[in-house]
Amino acid sequence: MLKGTFYIASILVLFVVLTSCESNFREVQRINSIGFNPVGETEDINLVYTDSGKVASTLVSPLMKDYTQLQYGFNEFPKGVHLTLYDKNGAKTHITGKYAIVYEETDVIDLSGNVRIYTEDGKELTTEQLYYDQKNEWFYTENYFKFTDNKGSFLEGPGVDFSKDFKIMNTQRSRGAISNFKP
């Protein structure tokens, strides 16, 4: 009889422990899901950034999710983004990607999915992922890239960093052909 009572008591204790864990586990899931909900969503966004009264850049996207309430806040563009940067003379550099995240604290934009950057004078770079440091106006990627210009030149390989106007480029292991080179 004592064995049977001990057995039933053990099952009851195990049942209480398991149901308590399930309850706590669901509470942890609930808390975590609340933390990663955006504080806002904006559709068909068209942001214009100005500096000293001049347009510095524009950002267009079908959807922006705002996660700036998190410790390391960010804005997510899950349906892609089109960013246009303007230089002092009004020349434009266009950047597109199927997905983007803008990190609030560092001002770095992480673009991915068929990323394309192109200028009005015919320079173009394509890659699968590209970072843009807004403070330093500098792009970089470790992924495979291909750069072309309107003179028939091309450069390709893994890893590159460059200025927004393509005047300065640093490559890692690239190959290519340069047309109309004038030192």
Side-chain angles (χ1 to χ4, degrees):
M1 190 68 152
L2 190 54
K3 261 189 182 181
T5 307
F6 178 74
Y7 179 73
I8 292 172
S10 297
I11 290 176
L12 284 174
V13 168
L14 183 60
F15 176 75
V16 168
V17 168
L18 288 177
T19 56
S20 297
C21 289
E22 179 66 25
S23 175
N24 289 340
F25 180 70
R26 285 189 180 152
E27 181 65 18
V28 169
Q29 282 182 319
R30 186 188 69 76
I31 290 169
N32 285 338
S33 70
I34 290 170
F36 271 90
N37 285 331
V39 291
E41 290 187 13
T42 305
E43 293 181 347
D44 299 322
I45 189 166
N46 188 346
L47 294 174
V48 178
Y49 296 97
T50 59
D51 184 11
S52 303
K54 289 187 174 183
V55 175
S57 63
T58 60
L59 186 145
V60 178
S61 179
L63 179 64
M64 180 185 88
K65 294 184 177 186
D66 181 352
Y67 293 92
T68 55
Q69 83 280 13
L70 300 174
Q71 182 177 358
Y72 301 104
F74 61 93
N75 287 306
E76 178 186 37
F77 300 87
K79 294 185 178 182
V81 68
H82 183 131
L83 179 65
T84 304
L85 307 174
Y86 297 84
D87 71 7
K88 293 179 231 173
N89 302 320
K92 299 175 190 174
T93 300
H94 301 275
I95 304 107
T96 60
K98 288 187 174 183
Y99 179 84
I101 294 179
V102 179
Y103 295 98
E104 186 177 68
E105 192 171 312
T106 61
D107 281 335
V108 170
I109 300 174
D110 177 357
L111 298 125
S112 59
N114 294 327
V115 179
R116 179 176 174 237
I117 176 170
Y118 56 99
T119 62
E120 293 176 321
D121 63 356
K123 296 173 185 157
E124 179 179 18
L125 184 134
T126 57
T127 185
E128 276 304 304
Q129 184 167 29
L130 183 70
Y131 297 95
Y132 177 55
D133 178 344
Q134 296 179 86
K135 290 178 186 170
N136 297 308
E137 297 184 326
W138 201 258
F139 291 94
Y140 54 96
T141 185
E142 293 295 320
N143 289 15
Y144 178 87
F145 74 94
K146 183 167 185 178
F147 170 79
T148 57
D149 67 15
N150 61 357
K151 299 173 188 168
S153 299
F154 80 94
L155 191 61
E156 62 186 358
V160 64
D161 63 281
F162 54 96
S163 60
K164 75 175 184 179
D165 57 7
F166 291 108
K167 288 185 179 175
I168 302 170
M169 289 184 80
N170 302 308
T171 63
Q172 293 176 12
R173 295 180 313 270
S174 61
R175 66 179 194 87
I178 299 173
S179 301
N180 301 324
F181 180 73
K182 296 177 186 174

